[in-house]
Amino acid sequence: MYATQALTHLVPLAKEVDDNKVTPGVLGFIVFAALAVGVWLLMKSMNRHMGKVNFEEAPEPEPAVQGSTGTGTGTDTGR
């Protein structure tokens, strides 16, 4: 009942707006604000989860030492 009375008081205010001008209005602002709050919460959650990650990079393997024969294959066929 009270919402209906509130809307009847706002209807005359809406008639003062130019009919040729299109604006997002209050609903557009509410949607934009909800999206902004959602993105902020997602970023906060992501930062919290990234802080829990314990990543240690594996050391690079040392290059293999080639044999003194100079063949470079590393196998000895005995021939």
Side-chain angles (χ1 to χ4, degrees):
M1 179 80 180
Y2 294 112
T4 309
Q5 290 175 350
L7 287 176
T8 56
H9 291 297
L10 293 177
V11 170
L13 295 176
K15 293 296 180 185
E16 295 175 8
V17 177
D18 185 15
D19 292 335
N20 296 325
K21 185 177 180 182
V22 178
T23 61
V26 176
L27 180 63
F29 174 75
I30 292 171
V31 170
F32 182 76
L35 287 172
V37 169
V39 168
W40 180 73
L41 289 172
L42 284 172
M43 289 178 62
K44 188 174 178 181
S45 175
M46 181 192 67
N47 284 334
R48 191 178 318 125
H49 282 84
M50 291 299 285
K52 293 180 182 178
V53 173
N54 186 12
F55 176 74
E56 294 180 11
E57 189 171 339
E60 292 185 19
E62 295 182 16
V65 178
Q66 295 185 1
S68 61
T69 60
T71 60
T73 60
T75 59
D76 187 17
T77 59
R79 291 188 199 186

